[in-house]
């Protein structure tokens, strides 16, 4: 069953609005919402089930480029980005983001949602328990930083997220001030999403059953709808942080993620 283009585009706009508010309010990556939502919406656009997970991941990463780059620019202006640290992490997260798209292509379609479900469950557990990693450890050797960035990039690309849930704890654990950990993570998220998106585009261009208005595994109508409204509503979420109990809301959202992760893992 397919739904007309206009109705679906309205749903993309609505999804982007929700993603923007949640990102601004809770500081969570949009991919955790975008991917499950697109798994429901894309088949209604007539997209073949055999490629719908790859389309959801690729499109999610493309939307993250828009939101993360906006956030990264703000943090750069505020001096919240450790440029030297980014230079060390960049090779790993870029290579990992691209490699994640390759791994997604290797995993059979029926198992890819289960991989996503496992990642979501682990991130939800971290959020639910409010795990904090603070330490006075120094950053490890350059080689270990690149390797760590690679792991973060692969996992993030496989989940269609920017990786803030992984990068911020990693940096905090190694003694980076939280403000700069968050700022640096936003720039890393942009790099991961860009590399991952390019990978999903390259892997998708040769696929014969792609829908119209797509660029590889990136579905352009969903990208436009989600991207436009998410950028606009992020500010609303940020303003709500001073009026709403964000710590409580974050735990409620974590429970929601447990439900989503479990459902995707169990099929």
């Amino acid at each position: 069953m397919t739904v007309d283009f206009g109705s679906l585009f309205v749903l993309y706009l609505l999804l982007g609005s929700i993603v923007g508010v949640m990102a601004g309010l809770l500081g969570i990556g949009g991919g955790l919402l975008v991917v499950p939502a697109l798994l429901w919406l894309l088949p209604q656009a007539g997209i073949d089930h055999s490629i719908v997970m790859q389309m959801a991941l690729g499109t999610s990463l493309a939307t993250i480029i828009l939101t993360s780059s906006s956030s990264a620019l703000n943090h750069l202006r505020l001096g919240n980005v450790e440029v030297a640290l980014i230079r060390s992490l960049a090779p790993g997260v870029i290579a990992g983001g691209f490699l994640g798209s390759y791994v997604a292509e290797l995993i059979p379609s029926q198992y890819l949602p289960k991989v996503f479900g496992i990642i979501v469950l682990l991130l939800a557990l971290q959020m639910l328990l409010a795990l904090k990693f603070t330490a006075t450890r120094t950053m490890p050797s350059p080689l270990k930083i690149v390797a760590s960035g690679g792991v973060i990039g692969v996992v993030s690309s496989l989940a269609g997220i920017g990786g803030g849930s992984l990068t911020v704890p990693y940096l905090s654990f190694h003694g980076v001030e939280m403000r700069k950990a968050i700022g640096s993570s936003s720039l890393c998220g942009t790099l991961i999403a860009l590399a991952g998106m390019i990978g999903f585009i390259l892997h998708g261009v040769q696929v014969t059953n792609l829908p119209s208005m797509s660029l590889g595994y990136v579905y352009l109508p969903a990208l436009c709808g989600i991207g436009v409204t998410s950028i606009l509503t992020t500010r609303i979420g940020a303003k709500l942080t001073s009026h709403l109990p964000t710590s409580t809301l974050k735990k409620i959202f974590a429970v929601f993620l447990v439900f989503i992760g479990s459902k995707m893992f169990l099929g």
Side-chain angles (χ1 to χ4, degrees):
M1 175 184 176
T2 58
V3 179
D4 68 275
F5 180 84
S7 299
L8 277 176
F9 194 75
V10 169
L11 291 175
Y12 299 143
L13 292 170
L14 179 60
L15 174 60
S17 301
I18 296 170
V19 166
V21 171
M22 295 295 282
L25 178 62
L26 303 179
I28 53 95
L32 293 172
L33 287 172
V34 172
V35 173
L38 287 181
L39 285 177
W40 175 65
L41 290 171
L42 293 181
Q44 298 184 58
I47 295 176
D48 195 290
H49 283 276
S50 65
I51 60 168
V52 72
M53 187 68 191
Q54 290 91 336
M55 294 290 296
L57 293 174
T59 305
S60 175
L61 289 168
T63 65
I64 288 168
I65 294 173
L66 301 177
T67 52
S68 287
S69 59
S70 175
S71 175
L73 284 173
N74 288 328
H75 281 295
L76 276 168
R77 293 192 193 101
L78 294 170
N80 292 342
V81 177
E82 286 280 3
V83 178
L85 184 57
I86 294 299
R87 288 198 191 102
S88 299
L89 278 169
V93 297
I94 291 172
F98 187 83
L99 181 59
S101 66
Y102 181 75
V103 174
E105 191 69 7
L106 291 177
I107 298 173
S109 296
Q110 67 268 31
Y111 295 123
L112 200 50
K114 296 182 185 297
V115 173
F116 177 82
I118 291 171
I119 295 172
V120 169
L121 283 171
L122 292 174
L123 294 177
L125 184 63
Q126 177 191 321
M127 193 182 298
L128 192 60
L129 299 178
L131 297 178
K132 298 184 184 299
F133 300 92
T134 55
T136 56
R137 296 172 182 234
T138 56
M139 292 299 295
S141 67
L143 185 59
K144 288 183 178 179
I145 293 176
V146 171
S148 299
V151 173
I152 291 171
V154 168
V155 173
S156 301
S157 187
L158 275 173
I161 62 176
S165 303
L166 301 169
T167 310
V168 172
Y170 174 77
L171 295 179
S172 298
F173 182 73
H174 289 99
V176 178
E177 181 189 351
M178 182 57 72
R179 174 174 57 89
K180 293 195 172 182
I182 293 171
S184 300
S185 173
S186 66
L187 186 50
C188 280
T190 304
L191 298 176
I192 291 170
L194 181 59
M197 181 198 71
I198 291 172
F200 276 104
I201 289 174
L202 293 177
H203 289 300
V205 288
Q206 303 299 327
V207 176
T208 57
N209 57 345
L210 285 177
S212 59
M213 295 184 291
S214 66
L215 184 60
Y217 284 132
V218 175
Y219 188 52
L220 298 177
L223 168 60
C224 293
I226 297 168
V228 167
T229 50
S230 63
I231 291 174
L232 294 174
T233 56
T234 298
R235 299 175 185 176
I236 298 173
K239 289 180 181 178
L240 290 174
T241 55
S242 58
H243 304 290
L244 296 174
T246 54
S247 59
T248 302
L249 289 174
K250 188 170 285 191
K251 289 184 178 180
I252 293 172
F253 181 68
V255 172
F256 169 72
L257 288 181
V258 169
F259 171 75
I260 292 295
S262 300
K263 183 173 175 55
M264 294 195 67
F265 178 74
L266 297 173

